[in-house]
Amino acid sequence: MKILQMSILLLVGFSQLFAATDSLYSKAGDLYELEEYENALTLYREIVTSGYEAADLYYNMGNAAFRSNSIGYSVLYYEKALKLDPVHHDAAHNLAYLSRYRVDAFEEVPEFFIRTWISAAVHALPERTWSILALFSFVLTLVWVLLYLYTKRMALKKTGFFAALMGLILFIFTLSSAIAGHRSIIHPDSAIIISPSVVVRSTPSESGNELFILHEGTKIRVNEEVTGWQNIRIIDGREGWIPAGDFENI
């Protein structure tokens, strides 16, 4: 009886949360239509703060930030949309369009080609899709294993063995991609500069030597953090330290 009561309370709580989220989402959309972009962005951020995330939500936030002349946040939100849904074409298109507004342009240091292929494969689909594919490939592998174990015909036995082997390889790949996608969401290793400009220093302090300057909208890779300073690396391989408040994780 207690379990039933708790289930009902949870259901009511989730229903109220979704209703509140829908209400804020509608209000934000109305404000956007009225060209009150900063107010719309404020409501969108309230939705995210409440615990709800979605690619379309971040896409709308990117649009509102761009209309508010906030290039750094616009890039950040489009990147977040693509992180949740790598095939979100509108977010990808707008992100490419924003490249003309960025000040910084660096030549990327090429990665080892196998690592590039693996990264491209992992980010080709959303984490949820990889999880579904992993479950499907596991079930399929189990079916082929059962066929191999219980069939008496040699031809079917060989088919079951090789199909199970291929299914196992597929399961390992899809499961690894799902885990990698989930890890990138929970523990982001990339960020966007949101301050108009930031000096990258050689040490985590204001007394460190000035190495170079980054501007809003630039994508960085974050490493270790030391007392409010973050070690970062840009695509051309250069590294340095910046204050933790000058960027936001994707």
Side-chain angles (χ1 to χ4, degrees), residues 70-110:
S70 181
I71 302 302
Y73 277 107
S74 185
V75 172
L76 173 68
Y77 295 137
Y78 289 142
E79 289 279 8
K80 282 180 174 288
L82 290 170
K83 189 172 186 178
L84 295 178
D85 182 7
V87 294
H88 198 295
H89 300 296
D90 291 333
H93 176 270
N94 287 7
L95 186 61
Y97 176 80
L98 281 178
S99 62
R100 69 183 65 184
Y101 293 97
R102 298 185 203 178
V103 177
D104 300 327
F106 309 109
E107 185 175 349
E108 185 173 3
V109 175

Side-chain angles (χ1 to χ4, degrees), residues 83 111 115 119 123 180 182-192 219-224 230-234 247-250:
K83 189 172 186 178
E111 291 183 318
R115 184 176 180 179
S119 178
H123 294 95
H182 181 72
R183 185 183 296 117
S184 69
I185 294 174
I186 301 300
H187 303 290
D189 60 357
S190 296
I192 301 296
K219 189 174 184 178
I220 58 175
R221 185 169 295 274
V222 293
N223 300 314
E224 61 178 318
Q230 188 79 43
N231 181 261
I232 60 99
R233 178 164 55 88
I234 56 178
F247 69 92
E248 280 203 21
N249 291 323
I250 297 175

Side-chain angles (χ1 to χ4, degrees), residues 7 26 38-39 50 54 99 103 116 121 123 137 141-142 149-150 168 173 183 201 213 215 220 223 226 228 232:
S7 301
S26 297
E38 292 185 2
N39 291 332
S50 71
S99 62
V103 177
T116 302
H123 294 95
S137 60
T141 301
L142 185 60
L149 292 175
Y150 293 102
L168 179 62
F173 175 74
R183 185 183 296 117
R201 300 185 181 274
I213 297 177
H215 300 85
I220 58 175
N223 300 314
V226 176
I232 60 99

Side-chain angles (χ1 to χ4, degrees), residues 93-157:
H93 176 270
N94 287 7
L95 186 61
Y97 176 80
L98 281 178
S99 62
R100 69 183 65 184
Y101 293 97
R102 298 185 203 178
V103 177
D104 300 327
F106 309 109
E107 185 175 349
E108 185 173 3
V109 175
E111 291 183 318
F112 185 51
F113 71 96
I114 293 180
R115 184 176 180 179
T116 302
W117 289 351
I118 293 174
S119 178
V122 169
H123 294 95
L125 296 172
E127 175 256 346
R128 181 177 297 179
T129 302
W130 282 122
S131 300
I132 294 173
L133 289 175
L135 179 61
F136 175 77
S137 60
F138 174 77
V139 173
L140 196 61
T141 301
L142 185 60
V143 170
W144 287 117
V145 168
L146 292 175
L147 177 66
Y148 169 75
L149 292 175
Y150 293 102
T151 188
K152 294 182 179 180
R153 294 179 58 183
M154 186 56 65
L156 288 178
K157 212 170 188 64

